[in-house]
Amino acid sequence: MNHLPSTVDDRPLDTADTVVVTTVASDSHTWNLVFLHLLLEERGYRVVNLGPCVPETLLLTECLRHNPALVVVSSVNGHGHADGLRLARTLRAHPGLTAVPLVIGGKLGVSASAAERGRQAAALLEAGFDAVFDDGQEEDLRRYLDSARPAPALAGVRSGAAGTP
């Protein structure tokens, strides 16, 4: 049974409003998910927060169930790169999810080297992520979300046409 609300700001929900938020399978952190959840709701999205330690198969199932406009993956434990590669390949291998925007951010590796972080980001993009946000790039994530589609106006009316993230 679905216990999610049917409206946000008194307007019907559709898949253009839905964002799935998750961690990688090895990451048990939750505060990052709370932050992302609130950030996305503030921008008018309906959020499906899968919580920590999400196996790739569960994420795949939930993405097929919710048909999200965006999937946001967060990692705090430093294994986002390795787990993210598998996750992206799993989602991109499914025909129904090849075009769903997929982003990842946080502490993606344990190396402090900018060169290594750059290689990891390139590998994640090659595996199927549409954007990679290194730890501390919250403003870049906000700009990405704002460019994806405008937030609803205070009265609950969209300020422009919905775009694709």
Side-chain angles (χ1 to χ4, degrees):
M1 182 182 334
N2 186 352
H3 297 286
L4 297 171
S6 60
T7 63
V8 173
D9 296 334
D10 297 323
R11 59 190 165 85
L13 291 175
D14 58 30
T15 57
D17 292 313
T18 303
V19 175
V20 171
V21 174
T22 187
T23 62
V24 292
S26 68
D27 202 320
S28 63
H29 295 87
T30 57
W31 281 113
N32 50 322
L33 300 175
V34 171
F35 169 80
L36 288 167
H37 191 130
L38 293 172
L39 176 72
L40 289 159
E41 280 185 342
E42 181 179 276
R43 282 165 167 69
Y45 289 101
R46 172 182 172 246
V47 178
V48 177
N49 188 337
L50 299 181
C53 298
V54 177
E56 290 88 8
T57 54
L58 176 61
L59 178 59
L60 175 67
T61 301
E62 291 302 307
C63 286
L64 291 171
R65 178 174 167 220
H66 293 285
N67 190 27
L70 174 66
V71 177
V72 178
V73 181
S74 179
S75 178
V76 176
N77 69 358
H79 299 287
H81 169 253
D83 288 351
L85 291 172
R86 286 189 308 276
L87 183 150
R89 291 176 183 137
T90 298
L91 291 185
R92 294 306 188 213
H94 194 282
L97 299 173
T98 58
V100 173
L102 177 63
V103 301
I104 189 168
K107 188 173 181 184
L108 302 175
V110 294
S111 172
S113 159
E116 180 61 22
R117 289 193 319 269
R119 284 190 289 277
Q120 291 173 343
L124 288 163
L125 291 168
E126 185 177 320
F129 281 96
D130 295 289
V132 177
F133 302 100
D134 203 359
D135 198 21
Q137 291 184 308
E138 291 86 6
E139 283 305 312
D140 292 337
L141 173 61
R142 283 185 177 96
R143 280 192 291 279
Y144 178 89
L145 294 171
D146 290 343
S147 71
R149 83 171 166 111
L154 292 177
V157 177
R158 294 177 199 256
S159 58
T164 303

